[in-house]
Amino acid sequence: MANRHLSRSIVMQSLYEWDFWGVFSQERLKEILDRNIGEFAPGIPESAFIFSLADQVFEHKSAIDTIIEKCAPEWPLAQITIVDRNVLRLGIAELLYGDKKEVPPKVAINEAIELAKTFGGESSGRFINGVLGTIYKEMNGMQGGITAS
């Protein structure tokens, strides 16, 4: 499981760089991922997991960003720190588009909170928990439903 946490860390750091430079091509994201895997996890046995997570974020970025705006209306996307924004993207991708049998929703939320605590600011963990908790409740039909498109 430690490999999965490391994999998520690499994806988050790669998304951060990708977002920072504003070059939102899949090729650029793959280049960043390859470099970060080589630097932080050479020989990692689950590199397919890394690319799968990054692809989920890339493929659904527009829908994910819309969900963030809906679930954190007091925080326009551009005002959310780059770390928090990309932890949310990663967490939402796992929640909505990932294999629930492989990564249960509560695991995806907890992993995102841990990434926020590690890489974000003092209140990042609480912010990520609040947004992803709202999405989780809505996924389960409690408040109108968030749909993966």
Side-chain angles (χ1 to χ4, degrees):
M1 283 307 210
N3 283 338
R4 289 289 176 102
H5 184 75
L6 175 60
S7 295
R8 287 181 183 92
S9 295
I10 290 169
V11 173
M12 196 288 302
Q13 290 176 71
S14 298
L15 290 171
Y16 177 98
E17 181 178 342
W18 185 63
D19 193 359
F20 179 83
W21 292 111
V23 180
F24 297 112
S25 73
Q26 193 164 22
E27 296 79 28
R28 180 67 178 130
L29 181 55
K30 184 183 179 321
E31 290 170 10
I32 296 167
L33 287 165
D34 285 337
R35 187 185 68 246
N36 286 340
I37 290 169
E39 184 173 338
F40 300 113
I44 190 168
E46 294 188 36
S47 65
F49 181 70
I50 293 171
F51 288 103
S52 174
L53 284 176
D55 286 346
Q56 287 172 1
V57 173
F58 178 81
E59 291 171 16
H60 303 286
K61 181 180 170 295
S62 179
I64 290 170
D65 287 353
T66 299
I67 292 167
I68 294 170
E69 290 169 343
K70 177 183 176 191
C71 293
E74 62 283 347
W75 288 97
L77 200 59
Q79 290 183 3
I80 298 173
T81 68
I82 297 176
V83 168
D84 291 355
R85 183 168 56 232
N86 286 290
V87 169
L88 283 172
R89 285 175 175 155
L90 180 56
I92 292 168
E94 280 202 279
L95 275 176
L96 298 182
Y97 308 107
D99 181 350
K100 309 292 185 283
K101 292 177 184 168
E102 187 176 327
V103 180
K106 290 184 180 183
V107 171
I109 292 170
N110 286 336
E111 283 290 321
I113 292 167
E114 289 305 312
L115 288 172
K117 288 178 179 178
T118 300
F119 295 103
E122 187 177 312
S123 62
S124 292
R126 289 188 306 275
F127 177 67
I128 300 300
N129 186 35
V131 174
L132 294 181
T134 297
I135 292 167
Y136 179 72
K137 288 176 189 171
E138 291 192 18
M139 283 173 52
N140 292 309
M142 294 180 181
Q143 298 178 355
I146 292 223
T147 57
S149 51

